[in-house]
Amino acid sequence: MADTAAEILAALGPLEGRAILDVGCGQGRLSAALARRGARMTAVDPDGAAVFAARQAGPDLRVEQSGAEALPFADASFDGVVMLNSLHHVPSESLAAALSEIARVAAPDAPIVIVEPLAEGTFFEAMRPLEDETAIRAAAQAALDHACADGEPLILASIEEFERVEPFRDVEQFIERLVAVDPARRSALPAARGEVERLFATLSEPTALGATLRQPLRMHRLRRR
């Protein structure tokens, strides 16, 4: 997460005293990191367990249970909005609404930073037996393209790509990471475990403390129209 957070920090700019919204915050790690840099953080996630965990991540975080497609905030409420690896978890039929909502709650000229994983890399390949996200990751990219078309709610400033290199102690930690992101994956785990273990052993890069997997990411830097 450290390298990803650095890219997001650079895209958001100085944070001291600014109201920032983290959409699809998961367990709140990014929100807590931005709060430590001085941001006044609000975060949302549709999953109740994630909301509970995020509230424990930092005493200064405001965390609400909400989907991205119906944000419970007034227009132009935030000085910046970030969405890290969560747009593709929005139901495909709600992607356009989610991006419209993000534009609505952002102040004029506020940076909107959306980071999404691409359907490639050793992390992606090792997780595919548990859940193949090829189609939903492509749908998220297509929704971003559409949201930046003429007359749509967002204006594209730039697109940047970088790579997250994520360390794991062993395959069990990797599997727990996948299930923590989406607990529904646990039901598919018995059938997929053997192939996940094989791919982890084949694709990961050994280190002194375990192994690493690589996930290419694409960052859209946007603002509201």
Side-chain angles (χ1 to χ4, degrees), residues 79-214:
D79 303 316
V81 182
V82 63
M83 198 172 194
L84 172 60
N85 292 346
S86 55
L87 182 62
H88 68 285
H89 291 292
V90 174
S92 58
E93 65 273 14
S94 299
L95 285 167
L99 293 170
S100 292
E101 280 287 273
I102 286 169
R104 179 184 67 79
V105 302
D109 297 322
I112 298 169
V113 181
I114 299 180
V115 180
E116 276 289 296
L118 300 178
E120 56 190 70
T122 54
F123 186 106
F124 172 73
E125 293 299 334
M127 75 167 279
R128 283 180 76 181
L130 187 57
E131 183 178 3
D132 187 346
E133 292 188 337
T134 301
I136 57 175
R137 293 187 183 192
Q141 294 296 322
L144 282 163
D145 291 342
H146 179 76
C148 296
D150 289 345
E152 296 300 326
L154 294 171
I155 296 173
L156 177 66
S158 67
I159 296 176
E160 301 165 28
E161 294 187 3
F162 55 97
E163 189 174 62
R164 183 185 74 229
V165 180
E166 190 162 352
F168 296 97
R169 180 181 61 254
D170 52 29
V171 69
E172 291 303 321
Q173 187 181 27
F174 173 60
I175 289 171
E176 285 306 310
R177 162 87 158 77
L178 298 178
V179 173
V181 170
D182 184 354
R185 291 171 175 166
R186 195 172 293 280
S187 62
L189 185 56
R193 176 180 287 275
E195 186 63 4
V196 171
E197 291 175 347
R198 185 188 71 80
L199 289 170
F200 183 90
T202 302
L203 298 173
S204 63
E205 301 170 46
T207 69
L209 299 177
T212 59
L213 292 169
R214 297 175 179 269

